[in-house]
C-alpha cells in the first residue's frame, strides 16, 4: 500500500514538472514572437504593426529640428532669420492650404536651404480615412509643394501624429517616408521660450527628431538657446532627409530607425 502511494506521488510530480516546462516554453515563445512582430523592415514593410520614423540610431551627434506649418506665418520670418544666423538647416512640413495661401514662404524656405515635406492636404486624422482618401491627401499636397519648389517631396508628417498600418504602408507605396518625433517642444501650448528650450535640450540625443511649429508664440525665442546649447555639446543640425536611412533599415517597436 505505501509503495502504491509513493508511485502516485512521483506520477503527480512528473506531470506537474511537465506542465511547468510546457508553460515556461510557451511564455518564451510568445515573448520572442511579440518582439519579432514589433519590428518593421526595409521600406516600411511590417510583420504586425507598421511604424513611422520617430528617431534614428546613429553614432554621429546629429539631430534634426522640424516645424509644422498649418496656421499662419506671423513668426516664420523670425525662425528663418535665426536659423540663417546660426547656419542651421531644417525641415518644414506644410499642409496644402498653407502652401497655397503662402507660396512666397514656400519659396523662402527652399531658398534658405531648408527642405519641405507634406503635412497632408486638409490636416485630417489620417487613421480615419480610406486608402483612396489617403492617396488623395498625399498626392495632391505633394504636388502643390512640387509645383512651387520644383523638388520632389519625400517626407510626410501625419497631422496630430495620428496613423495606422494603412497610412504607413500607403506612404511606402508612394515613396514617402512617414516622420514622427521623439522630442516634443510643446510650443503650441504657448510655453515660454526658456521652457521650450529646456524641454528640447534635456531630451535630445543622437538621431533625435525635434517637433516645433512655425507659428508657435515663443518658439523663435527658444531657438538661440537650443542651437547654442546643443552645438556646444557637439551636435550638428541636419534636415531630416539627411538624418534618416533611405533603405536597408529596420524600425524597432519604439519607432527608432536603424541600419539593418
Amino acid at each position: 500500500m505505501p509503495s502504491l502511494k509513493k508511485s502516485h506521488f512521483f506520477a503527480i510530480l512528473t506531470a506537474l514538472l511537465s506542465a511547468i516546462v510546457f508553460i515556461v516554453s510557451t511564455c518564451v515563445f510568445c515573448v520572442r514572437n511579440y518582439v519579432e512582430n514589433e519590428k518593421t523592415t526595409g521600406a516600411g514593410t511590417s510583420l504586425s504593426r507598421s511604424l513611422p520614423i520617430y528617431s534614428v540610431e546613429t553614432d554621429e551627434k546629429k539631430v534634426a529640428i522640424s516645424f509644422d506649418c498649418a496656421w499662419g506665418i506671423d513668426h516664420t520670418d523670425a525662425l528663418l532669420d535665426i536659423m540663417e544666423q546660426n547656419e542651421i538647416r531644417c525641415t518644414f512640413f506644410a499642409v496644402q492650404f498653407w502652401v497655397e495661401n503662402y507660396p512666397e514662404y514656400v519659396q523662402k524656405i527652399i531658398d534658405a536651404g531648408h527642405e519641405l515635406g507634406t503635412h497632408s492636404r486638409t490636416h485630417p486624422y489620417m487613421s480615419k480615412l480610406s486608402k483612396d482618401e489617403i492617396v488623395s491627401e498625399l498626392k495632391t499636397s505633394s504636388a502643390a509643394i512640387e509645383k512651387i519648389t520644383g523638388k520632389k517631396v519625400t517626407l510626410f508628417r501625419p497631422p496630430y501624429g495620428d496613423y495606422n498600418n494603412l497610412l504607413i504602408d500607403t506612404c511606402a507605396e508612394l515613396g514617402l517616408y512617414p516622420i514622427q518625433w521623439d522630442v516634443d517642444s510643446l510650443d503650441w501650448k504657448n510655453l515660454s521660450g526658456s521652457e521650450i528650450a529646456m524641454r528640447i535640450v534635456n531630451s535630445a540625443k543622437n538621431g533625435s527628431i525635434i517637433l516645433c511649429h512655425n507659428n508657435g508664440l515663443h518658439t523663435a525665442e527658444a531657438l538661440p538657446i537650443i542651437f547654442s546649447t546643443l552645438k556646444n555639446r557637439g551636435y550638428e543640425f541636419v534636415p531630416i532627409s539627411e538624418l534618416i536611412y533611405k533603405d536597408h533599415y529596420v524600425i524597432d517597436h519604439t519607432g527608432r530607425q536603424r541600419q539593418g
Side-chain angles (χ1 to χ4, degrees):
M1 193 74 170
S3 62
L4 183 60
K5 289 182 179 180
K6 189 175 183 180
S7 65
H8 282 174
F9 171 78
F10 281 113
I12 293 171
L13 181 60
T14 300
L16 182 60
L17 289 173
S18 297
I20 291 172
V21 170
F22 173 78
I23 292 170
V24 171
S25 299
T26 301
C27 289
V28 170
F29 172 80
C30 290
V31 170
R32 184 180 300 161
N33 194 51
Y34 171 79
V35 170
E36 290 301 318
N37 283 345
E38 282 299 297
K39 294 178 180 178
T40 59
T41 61
T45 303
S46 172
L47 298 177
S48 65
R49 185 183 179 206
S50 299
L51 292 172
I53 300 169
Y54 283 77
S55 64
V56 177
E57 185 70 35
T58 177
D59 293 330
E60 297 182 303
K61 300 197 76 169
K62 292 184 176 181
V63 296
I65 190 166
S66 59
F67 300 88
D68 289 356
C69 305
W71 324 111
I73 54 169
D74 294 349
H75 307 286
T76 307
D77 284 313
L79 300 179
L80 292 172
D81 288 344
I82 294 167
M83 284 189 283
E84 182 180 8
Q85 293 163 15
N86 289 271
E87 300 182 324
I88 300 293
R89 291 182 302 130
C90 73
T91 305
F92 287 84
F93 290 95
V95 178
Q96 183 174 336
F97 55 73
W98 189 91
V99 170
E100 293 171 342
N101 287 337
Y102 309 108
E104 69 279 13
Y105 276 86
V106 172
Q107 196 61 55
K108 276 187 181 184
I109 287 167
I110 298 302
D111 289 346
H114 309 298
E115 66 183 0
L116 194 60
T118 175
H119 196 33
S120 79
R121 183 183 66 195
T122 61
H123 207 270
Y125 285 94
M126 300 291 288
S127 67
K128 297 181 179 180
L129 305 183
S130 67
K131 181 166 184 175
D132 286 345
E133 290 171 327
I134 291 171
V135 170
S136 177
E137 286 279 341
L138 298 177
K139 281 190 170 182
T140 58
S141 58
S142 295
I145 294 170
E146 292 168 0
K147 182 180 178 181
I148 297 170
T149 67
K151 297 178 181 291
K152 182 173 175 56
V153 172
T154 60
L155 304 176
F156 165 65
R157 172 165 286 157
Y160 312 105
D162 174 59
Y163 64 89
N164 57 7
N165 282 12
L166 178 61
L167 173 63
I168 303 306
D169 295 342
T170 303
C171 284
E173 292 174 12
L174 298 178
L176 291 168
Y177 295 93
I179 306 296
Q180 293 282 87
W181 59 87
D182 67 322
V183 179
D184 191 347
S185 68
L186 293 184
D187 58 350
W188 58 273
K189 288 189 172 183
N190 295 335
L191 300 181
S192 69
S194 60
E195 287 174 323
I196 293 168
M198 288 306 100
R199 284 188 59 83
I200 292 173
V201 300
N202 289 335
S203 302
K205 58 182 179 292
N206 290 14
S208 280
I209 297 174
I210 302 164
L211 170 66
C212 297
H213 297 80
N214 77 303
N215 221 30
L217 190 59
H218 300 293
T219 307
E221 297 171 26
L223 293 188
I225 305 171
I226 295 165
F227 295 153
S228 63
T229 303
L230 292 181
K231 279 185 172 183
N232 286 337
R233 293 179 185 174
Y235 285 99
E236 176 187 359
F237 288 82
V238 297
I240 290 173
S241 66
E242 295 181 18
L243 180 68
I244 65 173
Y245 301 113
K246 304 299 176 35
D247 50 34
H248 306 299
Y249 64 82
V250 295
I251 302 176
D252 69 19
H253 68 282
T254 70
R256 192 156 176 87
Q257 185 198 43
R258 58 183 172 82
Q259 202 93 63

